[in-house]
Amino acid sequence: MSPGQSDGSQARGSRRLMVLLAAAMFVLVVDTSLMNVSISAVVVDLDTTASGVQSAIALEALVSAAFILISSKVADLVGRKRAYVLGLVAYAVGALAMTLAQSLTAIVVLWAVVGGLGASLLLPAMQSLIHGNFMGSDQKKAYALVGAAAAVAAAIGPLLGGFVTTYLSWRVGFALEVVVIVVVLSQISLVRDVPYTGSRRIDAVGAVLSVLGMGGVVLGILVWQEGGELVGLLVLVGLVALAGLVRWLVRSKRTGRVTLLDPDLFRHPNFTAGVTGQMLQQITLGGAMIALPLFFQMTLEYDALEAGLSLAPLSLTMFAAAVVAGKRAGNRRPAAVIRAGFLLASLGIAAIVPLVPRVGSGWYLVIPLAVAGSGLGLLVSQLNNYTLAPVAEERVSEAAGVNSAAGSFGLSFGLAMAGGLMLATLSFSFTHLTQASDVIPAEQQAQIAATLERDAEIMSNSRLAEQIGGEPPAVVAEVLAINDEARNRSLQVALLVPLLAGLGGLVNGFRMMRLPDQRPSSSLEGLDLG
């Protein structure tokens, strides 16, 4: 074979590897969008609850956040290629479970927990493999293609998931994910492993404290959402573990021991402000993505495709704003763009809150969703670079892992907190409105109020009418009216979570404006893969 033929084969292999890595990232990002627009279909097929499905979504994000720092070290120890394969296999197990699941338990255990562990392995391993398998311009092309795959998946995910769910089945969407992963794995020989030459010591105490900290807080909220016990104890364990993690990291650094992450990263005020902004951005997104799909599917009773189309103004403007701002930010200060992003996101969400009980079509939310999406897009375009700019080149990968963990934790917290407040408000409203009713007989009020409070659930009027069909018509009409008012009130309260997070981000943006701009110490391309 001539040198020219050899170079051509290598180039083709390189391009094929780029496409395969991009396909893996596409599946990783589109997965949650598919779940969000399929909530009502999953609820009906598995005879479960919307809150249960939302809890699974929050749990998947939590597992990814809690283990991403540990998984990065695992990838160093077992090999980045092996970690990448294990991550893909775990993700495929989760998607296959969704394809075959007959109960919510299978989704929680296999999709949320096993799939979440797979995601925590995939992201750091993928970044290392791109860095080690490509050089020069090819490396930039690989990072750009994988980043573009993530952005496109976020933009079209609701539409793609809605189409597949409506015209085929929500199970087909997850089956297609399995097919894509099998194709990627079949070409794994193209991937060259990247050796790790650093320390192989593990900060076991830090790892346990990080999992207990993030897990305790979010699990406590999820248990509260599902009406379980020991909520306060779980949250307290989480908070104590997080405080203990901080003390442990500082003490370990001072005594020269290995640490899960370097606490000196947080000595940079820009890094601390950026990580805070990343977490608040994801709380904003997570809170919105629990309330909005439920509004479209339960209040307006849209099918998956209609829900996906209704969410499109948010996802598409987020994609467009990120692309435009990334290319045309010019001499504008990153902090100013971030502040504008949080302002627009807050304004968009604030405009939606009063519209929830007053609109009968998703068209009324197009402009507020576009405003919120534009704001989130501005944040996507700037937050990563702003956060990592002050970090020395040799510590950028570690800082990017912390940034990703903060974002995943924020997403899971936003989903869990919005869901918990939503169901608490729903339960209280059901009881109050039922007891205040002049239509429901007094002897039935206590029974109906107790049943609605115990089984509090975001539910469409059609499904509720089926459950209470044996009651007199006047009582049915009254219960449906109570459901309307209580459901809308609870969705409004849930939307306060992303609104408050957006306003918190705005305050943080003013803090950023007071800090001096930092020039990146190295190329940051590709370090925002998740």
Side-chain angles (χ1 to χ4, degrees):
M1 182 182 294
S2 68
Q5 289 176 314
S6 178
D7 291 344
S9 298
Q10 289 178 356
R12 286 192 296 274
S14 177
R15 285 194 294 269
R16 198 178 352 157
L17 179 55
M18 289 183 198
V19 172
L20 291 169
L21 291 169
M25 177 57 73
F26 184 90
V27 167
L28 200 65
V29 175
V30 83
D31 188 73
T32 301
S33 294
L34 181 56
M35 277 292 280
N36 278 322
V37 298
S38 305
I39 291 173
S40 58
V42 175
V43 166
V44 172
D45 276 9
L46 301 185
D47 190 25
T48 185
T49 64
S51 65
V53 177
Q54 286 290 354
S55 293
I57 296 173
L59 183 61
E60 196 266 352
L62 169 62
V63 172
S64 176
F67 286 92
I68 195 167
L69 295 175
I70 305 168
S71 297
S72 180
K73 187 63 177 179
V74 169
D76 292 339
L77 297 177
V78 306
R80 277 67 178 270
K81 181 177 179 178
R82 186 175 297 171
Y84 178 67
V85 171
L86 289 173
L88 284 172
V89 170
Y91 221 74
V93 168
L96 184 61
M98 292 298 297
T99 306
L100 304 174
Q102 299 301 313
S103 69
L104 184 63
T105 301
I107 293 177
V108 169
V109 174
L110 297 175
W111 181 79
V113 176
V114 176
L117 287 171
S120 73
L121 280 167
L122 271 174
L123 291 173
M126 186 180 295
Q127 181 179 301
S128 296
L129 290 175
I130 292 174
H131 192 74
N133 279 263
F134 302 96
M135 297 181 65
S137 61
D138 281 348
Q139 189 178 96
K140 291 184 178 180
K141 289 177 183 176
Y143 275 134
L145 185 60
V146 173
V152 171
I156 70 170
L159 295 172
L160 183 63
F163 179 84
V164 171
T165 299
T166 300
Y167 292 107
L168 297 171
S169 166
W170 59 274
R171 297 180 186 273
V172 172
F174 291 100
L176 291 174
E177 289 185 13
V178 177
V179 172
V180 172
I181 293 174
V182 169
V183 171
V184 173
L185 287 173
S186 71
Q187 302 294 309
I188 198 64
S189 60
L190 292 173
V191 179
R192 181 177 67 254
D193 204 357
V194 180
Y196 175 69
T197 58
S199 171
R200 293 185 172 272
R201 292 182 298 164
I202 299 175
D203 179 10
V205 174
V208 171
L209 288 173
S210 70
V211 172
L212 287 176
M214 288 186 278
V217 172
V218 177
L219 277 178
I221 300 171
L222 290 176
V223 169
W224 170 49
Q225 177 176 322
E226 293 300 313
E229 299 178 352
L230 303 178
V231 173
L233 179 60
L234 283 170
V235 174
L236 179 61
V237 168
L239 293 175
V240 170
L242 287 174
L245 176 63
V246 173
R247 288 178 57 85
W248 172 260
L249 292 175
V250 172
R251 184 184 302 173
S252 297
K253 176 71 174 181
R254 189 181 301 130
T255 57
R257 285 180 292 193
V258 65
T259 57
L260 181 68
L261 59 94
D262 189 347
D264 285 350
L265 287 172
F266 294 93
R267 292 184 182 275
H268 298 288
N270 293 65
F271 179 79
T272 303
V275 167
T276 302
Q278 180 79 4
M279 184 173 64
L280 290 170
Q281 177 209 7
Q282 292 298 320
I283 293 175
T284 303
L285 182 61
M289 292 312 293
I290 186 173
L292 293 173
L294 286 174
F295 172 70
F296 291 128
Q297 295 176 69
M298 300 300 171
T299 299
L300 301 184
E301 301 199 33
Y302 282 178
D303 61 28
L305 180 58
E306 291 170 324
L309 288 169
S310 298
L311 287 169
L314 178 73
S315 58
L316 294 179
T317 53
M318 189 167 116
F319 171 70
V323 171
V324 172
K327 291 181 177 180
R328 299 188 179 182
N331 294 323
R332 295 177 182 87
R333 293 188 62 191
V337 178
I338 292 169
R339 184 178 61 177
F342 276 116
L343 176 61
L344 288 175
S346 300
L347 288 174
I349 298 296
I352 293 172
V353 173
L355 292 176
V356 165
R358 295 177 173 84
V359 300
S361 168
W363 285 106
Y364 292 96
L365 303 188
V366 168
I367 292 178
L369 286 174
V371 171
S374 297
L376 291 170
L378 292 180
L379 297 175
V380 170
S381 74
Q382 301 296 321
L383 263 175
N384 185 66
N385 282 356
Y386 179 93
T387 304
L388 302 181
V391 180
E393 183 172 357
E394 64 271 13
R395 296 165 64 191
V396 165
S397 293
E398 179 184 12
V402 175
N403 197 35
S404 295
S408 295
F409 175 73
L411 181 65
S412 63
F413 182 86
L415 287 163
M417 181 57 75
L421 288 174
M422 179 178 67
L423 290 184
T425 305
L426 189 68
S427 176
F428 174 81
S429 299
F430 274 152
T431 302
H432 176 73
L433 293 171
T434 301
Q435 292 175 345
S437 173
D438 295 328
V439 176
I440 300 175
E443 62 274 12
Q444 287 186 277
Q445 285 184 1
Q447 178 186 354
I448 292 176
T451 301
L452 291 175
E453 183 176 2
R454 183 182 67 251
D455 301 326
E457 173 59 33
I458 294 291
M459 192 181 299
S460 67
N461 276 0
S462 297
R463 193 170 184 216
L464 181 58
E466 293 175 4
Q467 294 189 6
I468 59 173
E471 298 290 336
V475 173
V476 171
E478 180 71 358
V479 172
L480 293 181
I482 289 173
N483 184 55
D484 265 338
E485 185 173 348
R487 183 184 57 213
N488 288 335
R489 188 180 297 172
S490 68
L491 289 169
Q492 286 178 300
V493 170
L495 284 169
L496 293 180
V497 172
L499 176 58
L500 291 174
L503 292 174
L506 182 60
V507 173
N508 190 56
F510 281 101
R511 176 192 172 199
M512 290 177 169
M513 290 294 292
R514 294 195 297 269
L515 298 173
D517 291 334
Q518 299 284 328
R519 294 180 62 85
S521 57
S522 64
S523 173
L524 299 177
E525 287 185 273
L527 293 175
D528 57 349
L529 300 182

